[in-house]
Amino acid sequence: MFTLAGTCLACFCSLTLLQAQVIVTYPDLNPTGVAEGVTATPLNTTGSSLPDLEIYEGLIETEPVADSTSAALAVDYDQFFQFTLTPGANRKLDLGVVTFEADYEDAGSPRGWVLRSSIDGFSTDLASEEVWTEHPVLSFFSIRLPEDQFLGLTEPVTFRIYTYASGGGDRILDFDNIQVLGTVDMPPRILLRGPTKVRTSKPRYRVRGFAYDDDRVARVLANGKVLRGKDYWTTTVRVRARTTKVRFYAIDSAGLVSRQVLFRVIRAPRAGRNKPINFL
């Protein structure tokens, strides 16, 4: 059972409409459902003074020290656990929302959390709230990440969740189903409409192809020269005495580059029809 708490639920819904995907989920200390093109570390307390994390009744259990009695003091006393997301080579990561559930164990003083990230060196709060539901009733929290900081990421980003308890007694604060939502910008792909190697006696040979991307193809190039057309393109290759090699590739709107497709055309010794030969 859980209740809705916090703000940014409308933001969460709007991101869903933009077809955001779950980048990672932490049902326990280890990540699951990690999106293609991303790596994620386990939850950890490296560099923190928070006692080691434990799993109790399926929940991620934290117990901040006695001096951690407010959001500011939780940060001052390094009462955090963390995880790191790393986009793969030739990938860009757009992060939109962090969500999780939380409760406290045993009646007592309110407990709370602070979310920060490595984007600004953990210097400012992305969000901070108190948890008012007692175990086993979980409260749901959703935090919208600022677009000017979390779009087009190509380097690792670490999130830290700081915890505190404002009074004495049992200081345990539980978390569950920590998720990050967003999108992974994959590189475009390019295909030739026909074989990648031909033999012809003509002085020129026309090459056609396709390019596609999860967002938008910005341009298609042949040996560094921009071609006309993007999703569907065509060019004429001048056939020289020796084998002519042309490398085709595409670049998307985020600057990601596709793998290259090598096309070869061989000048035939006599006139005749274009004669495709086997793929490489």
Side-chain angles (χ1 to χ4, degrees):
M1 179 185 299
F2 67 85
T3 61
L4 297 180
T7 57
C8 303
L9 290 178
C11 296
F12 171 73
C13 293
S14 66
L15 188 68
T16 301
L17 293 175
L18 294 175
Q19 297 183 334
Q21 66 183 106
V22 175
I23 302 299
V24 65
T25 299
Y26 289 92
D28 50 38
L29 302 184
N30 296 307
T32 62
V34 182
E36 180 184 357
V38 179
T39 58
T41 65
L43 299 180
N44 64 86
T45 56
T46 302
S48 169
S49 59
L50 186 72
D52 290 341
L53 301 175
E54 296 183 2
I55 300 297
Y56 178 72
E57 294 186 357
L59 301 178
I60 303 160
E61 185 179 272
T62 69
E63 187 173 3
V65 298
D67 290 328
S68 181
T69 57
S70 68
L73 289 174
V75 174
D76 288 345
Y77 285 98
D78 292 326
Q79 295 295 287
F80 66 82
F81 64 94
Q82 64 187 0
F83 61 92
T84 300
L85 304 179
T86 304
N90 204 26
R91 303 285 194 276
K92 287 190 177 182
L93 196 55
D94 296 335
L95 302 181
V97 177
V98 175
T99 69
F100 53 82
E101 300 163 59
D103 68 19
Y104 64 82
E105 294 186 19
D106 299 326
S109 60
R111 275 145 266 191
W113 53 266
V114 179
L115 179 67
R116 293 190 173 194
S117 85
S118 60
I119 293 292
D120 63 357
F122 310 104
S123 62
T124 58
D125 297 352
L126 294 169
S128 176
E129 290 202 38
E130 291 187 345
V131 178
W132 289 95
T133 54
E134 186 176 354
H135 182 76
V137 180
L138 291 161
S139 294
F140 177 80
F141 297 92
S142 177
I143 304 97
R144 178 65 185 262
L145 302 174
E147 293 184 359
D148 61 340
Q149 297 181 37
F150 289 90
L151 296 184
L153 302 179
T154 57
E155 300 294 331
V157 57
T158 299
F159 289 96
R160 287 180 177 175
I161 299 177
Y162 298 78
T163 64
Y164 66 90
S166 61
D170 192 335
R171 307 178 61 79
I172 293 175
L173 185 63
D174 298 322
F175 293 86
D176 195 19
N177 292 322
I178 301 170
Q179 288 190 326
V180 180
L181 284 74
T183 58
V184 183
D185 191 0
M186 308 292 281
R189 297 189 64 186
I190 188 167
L191 299 171
L192 299 187
R193 186 180 175 184
T196 57
K197 189 175 183 180
V198 298
R199 185 187 303 272
T200 181
S201 60
K202 295 182 178 180
R204 298 180 183 275
Y205 187 85
R206 177 164 291 183
V207 183
R208 297 180 176 88
F210 310 92
Y212 58 95
D213 184 59
D214 51 3
D215 183 16
R216 180 175 60 85
V217 175
R219 54 191 181 276
V220 177
L221 300 93
N223 288 348
K225 180 181 178 181
V226 178
L227 306 181
R228 290 185 178 181
K230 298 174 183 177
D231 300 323
Y232 303 95
W233 52 269
T234 182
T235 188
T236 300
V237 176
R238 182 180 177 183
V239 183
R240 304 181 185 279
R242 298 178 180 178
T243 300
T244 302
K245 298 179 181 179
V246 183
R247 290 175 170 82
F248 294 96
Y249 57 97
I251 301 176
D252 70 8
S253 56
L256 299 181
V257 182
S258 72
R259 70 173 183 86
Q260 294 186 357
V261 175
L262 177 62
F263 173 78
R264 297 181 184 182
V265 56
I266 301 171
R267 186 69 176 268
R270 58 184 177 81
R273 297 177 60 188
N274 295 335
K275 181 182 179 183
I277 60 178
N278 293 335
F279 287 94
L280 295 179

